Amino acid sequence: MKHGKHLATALVTAGLLAGVTAGSLRAEQAFDLDALIAAAKQEKPINIYDSTGKIVEMAKNFSARYDLKATGMKVSANSQLEMIIRESRAGNVQGDVVLITDAPAALAQLLPEGFVESYLPGDMASKIPQTFQNPLAISTNANVWAYNTEVYDKCPVGNIWELTEAKWKGKVAMVDPLTKGTYTDWFNQLEAHGNDKVAAAYKAHFGKEIATSEKSAAAAWIRALAANAPLATDGDDPVAEAVGAAGQKEPFFGLLSSAKFRDNKDKGYKLGICADLDPWAGWTYTKLGLIASKTQSPNAAKLFVHYILTEEGIAPQMQDGKIPTNTDIRMPEDEPSGLEKVADRLFGYRSETGLDDFDRREEWQDFWRVNYKK
């Protein structure tokens, strides 16, 4: 089994959260966990917002560990933003800690306005790579290209440009980019940081340099993919079913969250990662761990942030293929997707252009909408 430090190194090398600057609470010079626990016990119970239902289990585990009351609440990233801003302005904070996968929105809307703060526990400073510290990222999440292992002995696609050809017309499933900001962020990241590799993949597949009227090879690929009638769904569950459901003769090829590989066990699906796809097997985004600036329980909130940076705290989400940023933590051997094996084959999110990702979301949505054909 690969050590967590190797995983984190591979992802950092990919450029995750490189060069971020944002307002934050600095790590303490002398961290005292016992003192933090004692202070937390004098405060009101806390609520934690997260976009995964696993937060309910995590909050219960935290409560049992420290004999404190914490409640985990599943809230979508979009709703988190609205609630955090509204609660802060009203001086009525309900969500004390927010675990948010919409890093660009946090960088653009939450941190600059002081609605939230980033906190790095002092004893974690040596465990969390610098690139994940400001603002604090607790994990990296992945969307991967997948195929049906019951129908195919190996991945049927070797290059992303194949997905723009007639063979795969109407047979690629993915979440609708009009409904999820991480997808348009991915488009922008491809153009900003992955364009050379997209162009190289074109040459490798077609045997010639790309010639396009678009301003980038990435935009040309996105346009061609949209025009090839992909199945655009309202979430990862329909993609997992279209790709992985057993008993199919012509299953879809798809892009979906690594978390859905648990359906292989739970639903008998046959999902497999397309590990050798040129140029990437998938792409990542980050989950930030932030504290509401006006929380009435700052020490309990800090204690929870510390907890989810430990193996016990983050364990429920590791089963969904979420890779912790704490380099001391090992990924479990029974993690369903086998994501650790392709960690160095993922296109990593780079937050130095996060504000541009946020600013160009509508532009990329319009680009997809204009070129999409059913």
Side-chain angles (χ1 to χ4, degrees):
M1 178 174 61
K2 192 179 296 184
H3 193 284
K5 184 168 291 186
H6 296 160
L7 274 175
T9 300
L11 293 170
V12 171
T13 301
L16 291 169
L17 279 177
V20 179
T21 57
S24 67
L25 295 173
R26 297 291 180 182
E28 300 97 336
Q29 295 301 310
F31 179 79
D32 188 335
L33 180 58
D34 291 335
L36 185 60
I37 295 170
K41 288 182 179 292
Q42 303 303 312
E43 297 175 343
K44 296 180 179 180
I46 59 171
N47 297 319
I48 305 99
Y49 295 160
D50 196 351
S51 54
T52 172
K54 291 292 179 70
I55 192 58
V56 176
E57 178 185 354
M58 294 165 71
K60 287 181 179 179
N61 293 344
F62 170 79
S63 300
R65 161 65 65 181
Y66 295 114
D67 193 24
L68 292 167
K69 177 62 176 176
T71 302
M73 304 173 67
K74 181 179 180 180
V75 181
S76 71
N78 287 340
S79 295
Q80 285 181 38
L81 290 168
E82 295 176 11
M83 293 164 69
I84 293 162
I85 293 170
R86 185 173 65 247
E87 291 171 9
S88 181
R89 287 176 173 166
N92 182 27
V93 170
Q94 299 297 312
D96 303 278
V97 179
V98 56
L99 308 182
I100 188 166
T101 54
D102 195 340
L107 290 167
Q109 295 182 312
L110 300 184
L111 286 158
E113 297 296 328
F115 296 126
V116 296
E117 295 176 326
S118 177
Y119 164 72
L120 175 65
D123 64 335
M124 293 292 175
S126 63
K127 305 175 188 293
I128 309 295
Q130 188 70 35
T131 47
F132 295 121
Q133 290 189 10
N134 187 17
L136 177 68
I138 65 165
S139 67
T140 58
N141 303 347
N143 286 321
V144 294
W145 292 103
Y147 67 101
N148 188 303
T149 59
E150 184 179 44
V151 175
Y152 300 105
D153 293 334
K154 62 179 182 179
C155 181
V157 182
N159 187 301
I160 60 170
W161 284 97
E162 292 179 43
L163 304 177
T164 68
E165 297 181 311
K167 177 182 178 181
W168 291 103
K169 184 177 179 66
K171 296 301 292 181
V172 177
M174 59 186 288
V175 174
D176 189 343
L178 302 181
T179 66
K180 200 166 186 179
T182 51
Y183 277 73
T184 50
D185 296 340
W186 170 48
F187 294 166
N188 201 54
Q189 291 273 318
L190 279 177
E191 185 170 83
H193 307 295
N195 198 63
D196 289 348
K197 286 193 174 183
V198 174
Y202 180 95
K203 185 176 182 180
H205 183 58
F206 294 110
K208 59 183 179 180
E209 300 289 346
I210 188 170
T212 176
S213 59
E214 299 296 339
K215 64 180 180 179
S216 66
W221 177 75
I222 294 164
R223 182 190 66 187
L225 177 66
N228 212 30
L231 172 65
T233 71
D234 60 359
D236 289 296
D237 286 329
V239 179
E241 182 177 4
V243 175
Q248 300 188 72
K249 290 184 178 180
E250 296 184 3
F252 282 76
F253 185 73
L255 179 64
L256 74 167
S257 169
S258 61
K260 295 305 169 184
F261 280 72
R262 63 175 178 253
D263 289 339
N264 284 349
K265 179 180 179 180
D266 296 344
K267 299 180 180 180
Y269 286 179
K270 308 296 181 180
L271 294 167
I273 293 180
C274 193
D276 297 321
L277 186 67
D278 183 17
W280 303 286
W283 48 276
T284 67
Y285 55 101
T286 57
K287 176 173 285 190
L288 304 181
L290 303 169
I291 295 175
S293 300
K294 294 181 180 179
T295 177
Q296 296 184 42
S297 303
N299 293 294
K302 288 180 180 180
L303 184 62
F304 186 82
V305 169
H306 181 272
Y307 178 71
I308 57 174
L309 292 174
T310 67
E311 183 170 3
E312 177 186 333
I314 199 66
Q317 293 199 16
M318 284 197 290
Q319 287 294 333
D320 285 348
K322 308 301 192 294
I323 301 173
T325 56
N326 182 340
T327 56
D328 283 354
I329 300 175
R330 299 171 181 266
M331 287 291 285
E333 289 186 3
D334 59 349
E335 187 276 308
S337 73
L339 189 64
E340 67 173 355
K341 297 176 183 177
V342 299
D344 60 350
R345 300 272 304 125
L346 301 175
F347 176 59
Y349 184 77
R350 294 173 59 171
S351 274
E352 69 262 34
T353 52
L355 292 177
D356 189 54
D357 297 340
F358 184 80
D359 290 340
R360 295 189 66 195
R361 281 180 174 178
E362 187 173 346
E363 178 185 339
W364 282 113
Q365 286 176 340
D366 288 343
F367 184 76
W368 179 268
R369 186 181 292 108
V370 167
N371 290 291
Y372 179 70
K373 293 181 174 62
K374 292 185 178 181

